[in-house]
Amino acid sequence: MIKGRSREASVCDDFVLNAYQEYSVDTVADLLLPTGFLIDRTTQYVGSLEKYVFLKGNTSEVYSKSEIDFIDGVADFCIFRDFYKKTRKGMIPCRIVSAKIDNNMDIVSSGIAFTKILNKAIDGLNIGFVISEEGILFTGRLFEQGNNIGCYVSDLIKTEEQYDEIVAELIFGDMYDSFIDYYSYIKSVIHYTDEPISYGETLRGAHRTPYTYIEELQELEEHMGLSFAREIERCFFDNQEPKELPYCEKVKECEEYLFKIESSRVNTMEILFEAEEMERLASEAEQKNDEMLQQSSGDENTENEIDEETKALLDDPEGMIKMLKKKRGI
């Protein structure tokens, strides 16, 4: 298993650029078969994200205008065949969902939005595989965040070496039949590197573009027929910074900006996951308590045995010394 990973590259190599330019079901399958995520090349859907979400997705979900705009912009999308992992009370479906993100869309915010929207549209563990000219992202559903439809993302992959490193770790996930174990392992592999940020960089964070405020201004424009163009322009230009944010800060910023993407219904699989996780933790705690009691009982028995032997040798000092040496391995 790979313990360290390569540093983030500044530009994409031919491996990543070719994956973007030649994006297709076969291209994605070739890339993912070594990970253990795919049983074979079989897909359950190929087409636009719009048709899938609104024709095949959960019909009880409601999507905001910004979510619909994003969905409309993803033309190349596919879902591969489900595979299943066990829980105590049933099976949970898992699957790869993949999309090609056009070059006019930011890969980080697009990857997070894509995953959260798919988590609304289809239940189970959705493992995202997003490709753009900026790089490749793995994403996954985060079950511990309730109806926020949380997700986690990998580092941005820009080279074949980086891709091979994460694949070398992902392949071990196939050893787990239990959903809890599988989910925990995949989540431990698909994560971004949280680099320490200097005080100066932290200060810059207070002057980032207030996207939520701008979105609220745009909603007011739409509903009240007023123009806030000057205020929106001021927000952008007053907060522009020539220096690019570190990748981990981009992810955190996008997660905060996209927090409004939420599910409008109760997810039974999430409840099942939380119940089994609590049961597992309780079982582990009980097992540890039993081990501690057994150890304590064993120590007491040993002390009692020594006491009895010692009493029997009270009139035989030499025998007592030999017994003690024997007990101590001298």
Side-chain angles (χ1 to χ4, degrees), residues 84-94 123-125 141 143-144 146 178-181 183 266-281:
Y84 295 85
K85 296 297 176 179
K86 298 176 183 176
T87 68
R88 293 177 190 268
K89 299 185 179 180
M91 308 287 280
I92 290 187
C94 310
D123 293 337
L125 176 59
R141 181 181 194 132
F143 278 90
E144 297 93 333
S178 160
F179 175 76
I180 296 288
D181 294 336
Y183 167 80
V266 175
N267 191 316
T268 53
M269 288 191 182
E270 224 163 66
I271 294 171
L272 181 64
F273 170 83
E274 290 173 358
E276 180 149 335
E277 179 69 0
M278 290 298 293
E279 188 177 342
R280 184 180 68 85
L281 293 173

Side-chain angles (χ1 to χ4, degrees), residues 18-132:
N18 288 338
Y20 171 75
Q21 292 163 359
E22 299 173 12
Y23 183 90
S24 66
V25 169
D26 285 336
T27 299
V28 174
D30 288 339
L31 290 169
L32 291 179
L33 280 169
T35 65
F37 284 145
L38 302 185
I39 299 171
D40 51 36
R41 295 173 180 269
T42 306
T43 57
Q44 53 181 297
Y45 178 83
V46 179
S48 70
L49 183 59
E50 179 187 19
K51 286 184 179 179
Y52 181 82
V53 169
F54 297 118
L55 296 181
K56 296 178 178 291
N58 290 317
T59 56
S60 58
E61 290 290 1
V62 178
Y63 297 89
S64 68
K65 183 180 181 301
S66 58
E67 289 173 63
I68 293 170
D69 289 341
F70 175 82
I71 292 167
D72 290 345
V74 180
D76 295 303
F77 166 68
C78 62
I79 303 181
F80 286 85
R81 176 181 172 186
D82 287 359
F83 57 95
Y84 295 85
K85 296 297 176 179
K86 298 176 183 176
T87 68
R88 293 177 190 268
K89 299 185 179 180
M91 308 287 280
I92 290 187
C94 310
R95 67 191 67 82
I96 281 285
V97 293
S98 178
K100 176 183 177 182
I101 302 298
D102 291 334
N103 55 15
N104 62 335
M105 304 168 78
D106 172 65
I107 179 66
V108 180
S109 58
S110 296
I112 293 173
F114 169 74
T115 307
K116 288 190 172 186
I117 288 169
L118 258 295
N119 289 344
K120 288 176 68 170
I122 182 170
D123 293 337
L125 176 59
N126 297 311
I127 301 168
F129 186 68
V130 183
I131 302 179
S132 84

